[in-house]
Amino acid sequence: MKSIGMKPEILPKVYSPKEVEPRIYSFWMSKGYFHAQIDRKKEPFTIVIPPPNITGSLHMGHALNNALQDVIVRRKRMQGFVTLWLPGTDHAGIATQNVVEKQLANEGLTRQALGREKFLERVWQWKELYGNTIIEQLKKLGCSCDWERERFTMDPGYSLAVKKVFVDLHKDGLIYRGKRIINWCPRCLTALSDIEVEHEEVEGHLWYIKYPFKASNEYLTIATTRPETLLGDTAVAVHPNDSRYKEYIGRTLILPCVGREIPIIADEYVDPQFGTGAVKVTPAHDPNDFEMGERHDLPRVNIFTPDAKINENGGDYMGMDRYGARETIVMDLEEGELLEKVERHTHAIGHCYRCHTIVEPYLSEQWFVEMKPLAAPVIGVVEEGRIKFVPKRWENVYFEWMKNIRDWCISRQIWWGHQIPVWYCECGEIVVQLEAPDVCPKCGSKNLVQDSDVLDTWFSSALWPFATLGWPEETEDLTYFYPTSVLSTARDIIYLWVARMIMMGLRFCGDIPFHTVVIHPTVLTIEGKRMSKSLGTGVDPLDLIEKYGADATRFGLMVQTQAQDMRFSEERLEMSRNFANKIWNASRFVLMNLEGYSIPEKPEYNLADKWILSRCNRIIKRVSKALDRYDFSESSRCLYDFFWSEYCDWYIEMCKSRLYGGSGDELGRLTAQHVLLYVLDRVLRLLHPFMPFITEEIWRKLPVGDGSIMVLAWPEVEDHLIHPKIEGEIRLLQDTIVAIRAIRSELRISPDKKIKGILCSPDEGKRKIVERGAVYISSLAGLSELVVEKKMARPKQSAMAVEHDIEIFIPLAGLIDVEQEIERLRRELANAQGELEGVQEKFSNKAFIRKAPKEIVGREKERLANLSSKLEKLNLQLKHLVDA
């Protein structure tokens, strides 16, 4: 026998996450376990963190996604990969500028008063003070990121990458400047891409307005949701095949409130079913009208200032904001008897994704990326299976966007961000290059002015998988860790971010940026509503960590990931905290019973040992397969059920007689200790990615090795230890024990009172299983005597159950007064039946269901279910006694 040569350490009585978690995290950091050291002999595994905004703090989506990534990363590290989880933050142009502008407003200042240079200094100061908040919060969650490689989207090296991509795409003719309809935020005073606009259904109106014909008393009625934009109308359109209007095509109308002459045109875009089938055309304020205007060579009349006030093209309405102009125009139309009617109308209105202001379609000169040439190869790599989505159905969302892609507006009229590397000369020359030119290459002038716009934040984020690794330099990190392996992200940025990263990776690195995209569930409230601090439905994960600990928070999230809409339940975190305590207490029990332990040279495994070793290896296989397919819910539930039920509730109980040494069997005791340690060691390794802190703390106390659990090998399945036959035998014994325990419970026989059990089966094989497991049945079912027979008539006054075709008899003489117990049960049954009928009567009254408060109806439903269950149990108890 090999002696451990040490007295096992004993765990404190109570597990304290607040004490353990910061100490363990400091230990990991001091040892450099998170740092990925390049080793060309080993395969790398890389995840780049979706960079949180520097304005952000941890919300439930962050907590879930980063916990998932940490599970993946910790497991891959244990599997021997050189594992890099690359962290960083995004400069978040509009969001960060808004925060600093609010700070300035509190000081009575504006960014314009400060000027660009001073304002940017203030933003950098703010970033230094607050920009790392979310990084520190991720550490509290236990994230094992390589903090030595932390990046920021405005690092000098990253900025160089952004400029190079812009310059190269411009050189290739894929970036251009043009005047087009864009989404404009009048509050942020900047353009937004289509996918930065959040559409919400709102209750609005359809105004039916009469447009008079020139030199006629006739008129054409059009319906619009935005009467104020008629100031910019340059035509009215009808469908060419609409028989109602064919005769009017080519005639001239007089624009109400303005007096401008406008034509009636025919265009197939018009939906004859909408409104009257005739629509106003405002090319400067609607993207579809813009396209129509292009086809018919219509003038574009812009009626808004950048802050959505009516400009000089609005005549008498100049200076009014858009909603004030709407009210005034509607009144003027009524006075002129040009408003036919108004109807309620629900429609989708776009809002700025940052400040929630209603977005204005606005004709503006902006920088665009031509997307169609970039889209084709990006569709191909997913169709070919080189990039897989998990779940697979999200590929359809990806394809839908990619196949209907529009050019991407990438310029933003703000100051914080990557300033566009374009310079303008007075001679009209435009210079696009990495660094500021000294002189104009055309005229030699030194008076060049850089474009004041910055690039869309998502433009720089699209380079994240390779720019973080040093591109455009061919660094060691880039050549070793790119392509990365897995991306875990949210469904709402599949096209906003995922697709664009694939585009840029293929274009600039010649390879896909990752092979798997895991779309994590969206965290909703228990009622299925969106989580939002402003709506009062948000949950702060830091509060949960404070209350339950990081491990319980992580595990509680993992078990809830079975659906893509995850209805968050705090009860699962309570369950997970109880699980952490169970792990702690079971581990403490094992350590307290390792006195004198040494590794047995030839262990003498009994039935229970073989069973738990078999079940342990099955769980290793099952958890590994579930994690291979990114099924975090299945893997976490498997571990929970195995550890709590099979290891703690069954195996530890089966071991106690050997551990306590009453039999004098020293080898049996050593074997039990050895098996307890074997299983505990492997379960802690399996649990480590989910619950890193508690598993580290416990594992370091076990007499199984030195170092850290996080760099141990992931458990391998030992197939020779899997025994289906033994598992079946133990299942039969367990079911028998449970049946006897149920009889005791139903008949209220005290657990302390020993009883006799009689088991009968004509099946010799089953009798032998029972005889081999007699010690477990007797000790765990509380039997004073166990009789095993082939056949026997049911004893008088006995309770009966049947499991696996084995008849189980429990003689009741001397245990309870059968007649007295029958009378008591009948009285209790009558009372319960009366209560049930009372509740049923309530539910037969439709007025009660309709008028009673929801919580009362809910409470009564619960009472109905509880009473039905109670009656079922009472009838079962009564049957036991009457049949006896």
Side-chain angles (χ1 to χ4, degrees), residues 51-59 62 89-100 123 126-127 130-134 137 152 354 416 533:
N53 293 345
I54 54 170
T55 55
S57 58
L58 204 65
H59 58 59
H62 288 134
T89 48
D90 192 284
H91 65 278
I94 296 173
T96 306
Q97 180 154 316
N98 283 347
V99 168
V100 178
V123 182
W126 184 92
K127 190 261 178 190
Y130 304 108
N132 267 358
T133 299
I134 197 163
Q137 293 170 341
F152 176 51
R354 280 299 168 198
W416 173 245
K533 285 182 183 176

Side-chain angles (χ1 to χ4, degrees), residues 242-288:
D242 193 334
S243 57
R244 294 172 295 175
Y245 300 118
K246 270 191 174 182
E247 63 181 288
Y248 300 128
I249 295 167
R251 290 184 62 180
T252 302
L253 298 168
I254 304 299
L255 184 61
C257 302
V258 178
R260 185 164 62 241
E261 293 184 8
I262 59 174
I264 299 173
I265 62 172
D267 196 283
E268 290 186 349
Y269 166 75
V270 178
D271 178 6
Q273 305 303 314
F274 177 77
T276 64
V279 297
K280 59 197 283 304
V281 183
T282 320
H285 296 288
D286 181 277
N288 297 307

Side-chain angles (χ1 to χ4, degrees), residues 15 58 83 130 151-152 183 250 261 311 313 364 381 433 459 506 526 531 552 673 682 694 718 728 777 853:
Y15 176 59
L58 204 65
T83 305
Y130 304 108
R151 298 301 303 271
F152 176 51
N183 303 295
E261 293 184 8
N311 65 17
N313 292 326
S364 175
V381 292
Q433 61 184 48
F459 186 89
L506 289 171
I526 194 73
M531 281 201 171
Q673 291 172 327
R682 278 147 185 81
I694 193 169
E718 296 182 69
I777 297 172

Side-chain angles (χ1 to χ4, degrees), residues 117-135:
E117 191 176 332
K118 291 286 184 189
F119 176 74
L120 291 178
E121 283 177 15
R122 285 293 297 264
V123 182
W124 279 106
Q125 287 168 15
W126 184 92
K127 190 261 178 190
E128 292 309 309
L129 283 172
Y130 304 108
N132 267 358
T133 299
I134 197 163
I135 294 296

Side-chain angles (χ1 to χ4, degrees), residues 51-56 88-100 120 123-124 126-127 131 151-155 158-159 162 196 353-354 410 412 414-419 454-464:
N53 293 345
I54 54 170
T55 55
T89 48
D90 192 284
H91 65 278
I94 296 173
T96 306
Q97 180 154 316
N98 283 347
V99 168
V100 178
L120 291 178
V123 182
W124 279 106
W126 184 92
K127 190 261 178 190
R151 298 301 303 271
F152 176 51
T153 52
M154 284 181 64
D155 287 343
Y158 201 101
S159 294
V162 172
E196 291 172 312
Y353 79 118
R354 280 299 168 198
I410 56 170
R412 298 291 179 269
I414 58 174
W415 290 350
W416 173 245
H418 298 280
Q419 194 168 350
V454 300
L455 288 163
D456 176 13
T457 296
W458 293 103
F459 186 89
S460 51
S461 297
L463 322 183
W464 190 247

Side-chain angles (χ1 to χ4, degrees), residues 567-816:
R567 296 194 174 204
F568 173 72
S569 165
E570 198 169 326
E571 285 180 12
R572 296 296 184 93
L573 270 67
E574 290 177 19
M575 175 206 82
S576 299
R577 179 176 59 189
N578 294 340
F579 183 46
N581 289 334
K582 186 78 169 179
I583 295 166
W584 186 261
N585 292 334
S587 302
R588 187 170 185 272
F589 171 84
V590 172
L591 284 165
M592 288 172 69
N593 285 280
L594 289 182
E595 190 74 38
Y597 171 64
S598 59
I599 298 173
E601 289 175 8
K602 290 185 179 179
E604 199 173 80
Y605 298 128
N606 66 13
L607 187 65
D609 298 331
K610 291 174 184 176
W611 167 73
I612 199 65
L613 290 171
S614 181
R615 294 298 303 146
C616 177
N617 279 279
R618 275 199 195 277
I619 290 303
I620 293 170
K621 185 179 284 189
R622 208 167 148 194
V623 169
S624 296
K625 283 185 176 179
L627 288 176
D628 285 345
R629 61 178 186 270
Y630 305 101
D631 190 339
F632 304 98
S633 175
E634 167 72 8
S635 49
S636 53
R637 283 201 308 271
C638 279
L639 287 166
Y640 179 92
D641 292 342
F642 172 75
F643 190 85
W644 192 300
S645 177
E646 297 183 84
Y647 185 68
C648 296
D649 290 354
W650 287 104
Y651 182 68
I652 285 180
E653 294 302 316
M654 290 170 165
C655 275
K656 282 182 176 176
S657 61
R658 285 187 294 164
L659 289 175
Y660 298 156
S663 64
D665 179 4
E666 183 59 21
L667 181 56
R669 182 169 185 269
L670 287 173
T671 301
Q673 291 172 327
H674 176 64
V675 174
L676 281 167
L677 267 178
Y678 172 97
V679 176
L680 182 57
D681 169 63
R682 278 147 185 81
V683 174
L684 289 176
R685 296 188 201 204
L686 293 173
L687 275 168
H688 176 72
F690 299 89
M691 306 177 86
F693 293 106
I694 193 169
T695 52
E696 180 73 77
E697 180 72 354
I698 293 169
W699 187 86
R700 289 170 66 197
K701 301 287 193 294
L702 300 184
V704 291
D706 299 316
S708 168
I709 192 172
M710 72 174 287
V711 290
L712 288 182
W714 181 256
E716 293 288 337
V717 178
E718 296 182 69
D719 286 309
H720 68 280
L721 292 176
I722 296 177
H723 299 293
K725 184 171 178 288
I726 289 173
E727 288 182 30
E729 289 184 13
I730 290 288
R731 195 176 304 118
L732 183 149
L733 298 176
Q734 288 171 329
D735 292 343
T736 302
I737 292 163
V738 168
I740 296 170
R741 286 173 173 174
I743 291 171
R744 297 183 73 118
S745 172
E746 286 156 10
L747 298 178
R748 303 198 299 178
I749 300 168
S750 167
D752 297 332
K753 191 174 282 189
K754 296 289 183 182
I755 60 176
K756 180 180 179 180
I758 302 168
L759 274 60
C760 299
S761 174
D763 187 320
E764 186 181 0
K766 288 178 182 177
R767 291 199 306 275
K768 284 185 176 177
I769 292 170
V770 168
E771 285 164 356
R772 281 199 297 273
V775 63
Y776 305 126
I777 297 172
S778 296
S779 62
L780 299 179
L783 303 185
S784 56
E785 182 184 356
L786 174 62
V787 177
V788 181
E789 298 287 353
K790 181 177 181 181
K791 188 173 178 61
M792 175 188 276
R794 180 176 179 179
K796 288 185 178 179
Q797 288 199 334
S798 67
M800 178 183 174
V802 179
E803 281 294 338
H804 296 268
D805 295 326
I806 299 172
E807 291 180 326
I808 302 166
F809 302 122
I810 305 297
L812 300 175
L815 292 174
I816 57 171

